Amino acid sequence: MSERKGIKAEDLYELKSAVDPRLSPDGSLCVYVQTAIDQETDEYFSHIYFMDVSKKTKPVQWTSGKGRNHSPRWSPDGTSIAFVSSRTGKNQIYILSAHGGEAKQITFIENGASNPVWSPDGKRIAFSASAAGNKTILDKEEKKAEDKLLPLEVTKMKYKSDAEGFWKGNYKHIGVADVDSGDVVQLTEGPHDYQLYSWSPDGENIAIGADLEEDSDASFVQDVYLLQPKTKKLTKLTNGTGYFGNVTWSPDGQTLGIIGHEKEFHNATLPKLWIYQIESGVFTCFSEGSDIAAGDIVIGDFQQGAVTPGVLWADDSKSFYFLATDHGNTIVYYGSLDGEMYPALLDQQHVYGLALNGKDHQAVVAISKPSETGDLYLLNVSDGNLEKLTDINGDFLKGIEIADAEPFEFEGSDGWKINGWMIKPIGFEEGKKYPLIMEIHGGPHAMYGNSYMHEFQMLAAKGYAVLFTNPRGSHGYGQEFVNAVRGDYGGKDYQDLMDAVDYALDKYDFIDEDRLGVTGGSYGGFMTNWIVSHTNRFKAAVTQRSISNWISFYGVSDIGYYFTEWQIESDLSDIEKLWKHSPLAYVDKVDTPLLILHSERDYRCPIEQAEQLFIALKRLKKPTKFIRFPEENHELSRSGKPGLRVARLNYIADWFGQYLN
């Protein structure tokens, strides 16, 4: 099969992502983060870019070097920005004047600093930093002998994290730095993690999140607190019933916008929009009765460092905007304290960034589509008009064809409606038959959407049709739909996917039913394993960062003991049920050639899941191959080392090329 002039795996080295737009207080200026790859060092680098939105000027790069500069935040008077930079080796906070000049380093924290939040008077910056339980964020670490191995003492179940590795006794705290002097004060203490959100307009309180339960292993909540910088006093606002965060203040300081839920369905609960009235203490769910999910839950493999901003308030302190996930799209919603709520920007697209001009009700939005990598647009909320502000990858993509995705909806075998998309191969010719690859997302409570996917485009360029759907368990289709997979892994979710294949074969006459492939990661890897152990209709499969054995997963995953209880609705007291839902139990039925991809430091779905599957298949003389990616975790496909991300894509393409051509 000849390669068309489409996207190649290696094009990751050339493509850039633009994320986290931030408007100046008067709404005229915008900064954002652009991330690219240095192919020579095989490292990411990111910089702050600036443009005058009022004059529609071209973006100008504000930072330089090979480090990562991100999280730009405007000062209240709009004369400077605070941002995070790794230029000294550790993340620290810097301030850069809007008029130019050198950036000034503000923090010199031993373990680094992140998440800058300005005080309303512009004299202080709150930030996040970590410290060991018996130390402060200002303490210097003792010099340790190089290469000395030390044992790890484990006394809690939450002792490792896929994102951060093994827990070594550090807790996340909140500090405040004086902009002029650089003096730092630590505001929180003790054996708990604190999340920093926003400073009240009067400067008297900082909204934070924390779980202060003594038994952290058994607690899965986060409450919202008000922290007084002067006294360090904490005031609890929520009641310990759920997970709440992403807190923002109305300009008059009377109302808080909060995203969260009361975990009625554990991690399958829709995130909702909540309003807290400071004076009355009344806390209400604003989106009660709506089946939309607040926030951006679209899954992707391209954007680097996208930020969901929470509730963005207009200057009147009564109206606001937020992102919501619905039927394969991310939408900008408008709301008001009078009870209004409706889409302000509704289209077939993925809005992965939002910045608001609260005076004029204009916004800068970051938008991606299946055939568009992502750019910034100016949105006039009154008429929905969009004006493109950037063309980040325009020059590189000239002459390269990117395939669009055709959306569809069908009724499954039990009457449930399922959404999906079909991407035709690059160079598609009428009357010709093409192999099909079905992609299955992870989560399972995530959502495929109208967004650019580098992997899909690479496969389309190789001459494959690509099918991707949102089976039950996916977000974006209401609470009943997202909850339906719990306790039924490999049941109706499997049937939804098989129905999608049947629908595609019936609707698209260019698909060769004898050349079907399937792949997916995490839950999608579990489902790939389940599919090949329950049907032989696929001629090749690639399972990625997968689950094969729910019995062992219970004790080895960083989330295993509670995720298994929530999702499979079982634990080690019912081994039979765990084994019933384990693809490894049916390994003797696997005849489909299976490529197994897994990262060495994946603590979410540990590599022993892949090892068990590989050995069982090889022992039975089944066609399989096992690829291990060194030093990588569960996020390889999205943010891993660029070279290994490219290698992963080529392994997938080569495996399907071997068996589907």
Side-chain angles (χ1 to χ4, degrees):
M1 185 181 301
S2 62
E3 188 171 331
R4 307 290 183 176
K5 184 61 175 177
I7 289 292
K8 304 189 300 294
E10 291 75 11
D11 288 338
L12 270 178
Y13 290 117
E14 306 296 335
L15 295 171
K16 310 175 195 63
S17 67
V19 302
D20 199 12
R22 299 281 166 166
L23 281 168
S24 60
D26 67 359
S28 65
L29 309 176
C30 179
V31 290
Y32 65 92
V33 180
Q34 183 170 299
T35 301
I37 297 170
D38 184 332
Q39 189 167 359
E40 184 176 333
T41 62
D42 199 33
E43 298 285 352
Y44 301 97
F45 64 94
S46 56
H47 290 299
I48 312 297
Y49 278 71
F50 161 87
M51 57 185 167
D52 189 324
V53 175
S54 64
K55 298 178 181 177
K56 309 298 190 301
T57 61
K58 291 184 178 180
V60 176
Q61 184 175 327
W62 264 12
T63 58
S64 59
K66 292 297 183 182
R68 302 197 72 165
N69 303 280
H70 57 91
S71 305
R73 302 294 183 261
W74 286 98
S75 62
D77 62 5
T79 62
S80 60
I81 61 165
F83 66 98
V84 178
S85 177
S86 64
R87 61 188 63 186
T88 61
K90 292 182 179 179
N91 282 334
Q92 300 291 353
I93 295 171
Y94 293 74
I95 291 180
L96 181 63
S97 171
H99 303 295
E102 292 293 324
K104 174 186 175 183
Q105 186 172 347
I106 298 297
T107 63
F108 297 83
I109 306 300
E110 181 71 25
N111 293 323
S114 62
N115 190 20
V117 176
W118 288 89
S119 64
D121 60 7
K123 295 180 179 180
R124 294 163 293 169
I125 295 177
F127 61 89
S128 298
S130 65
N134 59 346
K135 295 184 178 182
T136 75
I137 61 175
L138 296 175
D139 289 338
K140 300 295 182 182
E141 285 190 353
E142 298 177 6
K143 295 293 183 180
K144 298 178 181 178
E146 292 185 8
D147 302 324
K148 183 178 181 180
L149 293 177
L150 298 173
L152 178 69
E153 296 183 9
V154 177
T155 59
K156 53 188 284 185
M157 287 188 285
K158 294 179 182 176
Y159 73 93
K160 61 181 177 180
S161 159
D162 184 68
E164 299 177 1
F166 289 114
W167 184 70
K168 297 181 180 179
N170 284 359
Y171 292 95
K172 298 181 179 69
H173 288 292
I174 296 168
V176 171
D178 185 278
V179 170
D180 292 329
S181 68
D183 292 341
V184 170
V185 176
Q186 183 172 326
L187 299 183
T188 58
E189 59 184 19
H192 300 285
D193 291 320
Y194 295 88
Q195 307 298 323
L196 171 62
Y197 294 119
S198 52
W199 212 310
S200 65
D202 63 6
E204 294 298 316
N205 289 285
I206 300 174
I208 68 170
D211 178 1
L212 301 187
E213 296 294 322
E214 289 188 14
D215 186 0
S216 62
D217 282 336
S219 181
F220 304 97
V221 301
Q222 178 172 284
D223 282 300
V224 174
Y225 292 82
L226 296 187
L227 169 63
Q228 292 182 356
K230 293 179 181 178
T231 64
K232 301 183 183 179
K233 177 185 176 182
L234 282 175
T235 302
K236 189 177 181 180
L237 301 187
T238 53
N239 57 10
T241 60
Y243 192 94
F244 301 98
N246 225 340
V247 187
T248 59
W249 296 80
S250 62
D252 63 7
Q254 297 302 305
T255 312
L256 292 175
I258 300 172
I259 304 297
H261 59 74
E262 295 189 299
K263 62 187 186 72
E264 301 98 315
F265 305 93
H266 296 294
N267 62 331
T269 311
L270 292 184
K272 302 179 183 70
L273 170 62
W274 297 72
I275 295 295
Y276 186 92
Q277 300 288 351
I278 297 293
E279 185 174 338
S280 65
V282 175
F283 184 49
T284 56
C285 181
F286 191 85
S287 59
E288 186 70 35
S290 171
D291 244 354
I292 63 167
D296 173 14
I297 312 178
V298 172
I299 198 165
D301 67 353
F302 181 68
Q303 305 298 340
Q304 295 288 320
V307 176
T308 300
V311 177
L312 298 181
W313 293 88
D315 287 3
D316 62 9
S317 293
K318 295 181 179 179
S319 52
F320 50 83
Y321 298 84
F322 64 99
L323 295 180
T325 299
D326 188 30
H327 283 73
N329 303 297
T330 308
I331 300 163
V332 179
Y333 259 85
Y334 167 85
S336 76
L337 296 181
D338 294 329
E340 295 177 284
M341 190 174 76
Y342 55 82
L345 179 62
L346 175 60
D347 205 347
Q348 301 292 306
Q349 58 196 12
H350 174 204
V351 181
Y352 61 91
L354 174 66
L356 179 67
N357 174 349
K359 177 182 179 181
D360 300 328
H361 288 258
Q362 285 187 328
V364 171
V365 289
I367 295 176
S368 176
K369 297 181 180 181
S371 59
E372 298 178 17
T373 56
D375 275 297
L376 303 184
Y377 293 78
L378 181 63
L379 168 66
N380 190 327
V381 177
S382 62
D383 58 13
N385 183 58
L386 279 175
E387 184 177 353
K388 193 172 185 179
L389 297 173
T390 65
D391 191 15
I392 304 297
N393 294 305
D395 289 340
F396 175 74
L397 292 175
K398 288 178 180 176
I400 294 179
E401 183 179 353
I402 300 183
D404 205 354
E406 177 187 331
F408 61 76
E409 181 180 86
F410 69 93
E411 188 173 290
S413 54
D414 66 349
W416 284 44
K417 291 184 178 179
I418 306 296
N419 279 134
W421 293 261
M422 175 65 70
I423 297 179
K424 292 181 179 179
I426 298 296
F428 175 80
E429 298 176 18
E430 291 287 350
K432 188 175 178 179
K433 291 284 189 178
Y434 294 92
L436 172 75
I437 296 173
M438 178 169 67
E439 294 267 4
I440 308 171
H441 68 63
H445 310 307
M447 185 187 78
Y448 277 142
N450 285 294
S451 189
Y452 176 83
M453 292 286 288
H454 194 73
E455 180 177 326
F456 297 0
Q457 293 297 329
M458 178 207 68
L459 292 172
K462 293 282 188 181
Y464 300 103
V466 180
L467 168 69
F468 55 108
T469 68
N470 287 320
R472 70 193 68 193
S474 304
H475 265 302
Y477 304 91
Q479 184 61 76
E480 182 182 4
F481 193 89
V482 74
N483 188 58
V485 72
R486 293 175 60 232
D488 190 39
Y489 275 45
K492 293 298 180 73
D493 52 350
Y494 166 72
Q495 191 58 53
D496 287 345
L497 292 165
M498 294 303 98
D499 288 347
V501 174
D502 292 337
Y503 174 83
L505 289 172
D506 182 63
K507 181 175 181 179
Y508 302 103
D509 59 7
F510 57 82
I511 297 173
D512 186 343
E513 63 180 346
D514 294 324
R515 291 189 291 164
L516 303 179
V518 60
T519 186
S522 196
Y523 165 81
F526 157 82
M527 186 52 68
T528 298
N529 297 339
W530 188 267
I531 286 171
V532 298
S533 61
H534 286 75
T535 180
N536 290 327
R537 72 188 302 181
F538 295 91
K539 301 306 178 187
V542 181
T543 184
Q544 307 171 55
R545 57 188 186 278
S546 72
I547 296 170
S548 65
N549 182 351
W550 286 108
I551 298 173
S552 63
F553 180 85
Y554 186 91
V556 298
S557 168
D558 64 342
I559 62 173
Y561 67 98
Y562 58 89
F563 185 88
T564 305
E565 294 170 5
W566 293 352
Q567 292 292 310
I568 306 302
E569 297 184 342
S570 183
D571 57 22
L572 295 182
S573 66
D574 190 353
I575 296 293
E576 289 186 7
K577 184 172 183 179
L578 295 181
W579 190 239
K580 172 187 173 183
H581 289 280
S582 298
L584 195 64
Y586 313 95
V587 70
D588 60 316
K589 303 292 195 302
V590 177
D591 293 318
T592 305
L594 182 64
L595 176 65
I596 303 170
L597 305 180
H598 220 104
S599 295
E600 297 279 5
R601 293 189 178 181
D602 188 335
Y603 295 149
R604 183 59 40 84
C605 298
I607 199 168
E608 60 89 30
Q609 294 286 307
E611 292 170 331
Q612 293 183 67
L613 182 60
F614 173 71
I615 293 300
L617 288 169
K618 288 297 287 186
R619 187 65 173 148
L620 294 170
K621 308 297 183 184
K622 305 287 186 176
T624 187
K625 182 188 287 187
F626 184 18
I627 310 298
R628 303 171 69 115
F629 293 88
E631 305 299 319
E632 291 296 333
N633 65 5
H634 201 64
E635 296 299 304
L636 167 64
S637 65
R638 296 179 276 265
S639 59
K641 274 278 190 180
L644 292 178
R645 288 176 67 194
V646 170
R648 167 190 163 274
L649 290 169
N650 283 326
Y651 273 118
I652 294 170
D654 291 346
W655 189 259
F656 285 129
Q658 179 180 350
Y659 289 100
L660 298 186
N661 287 344

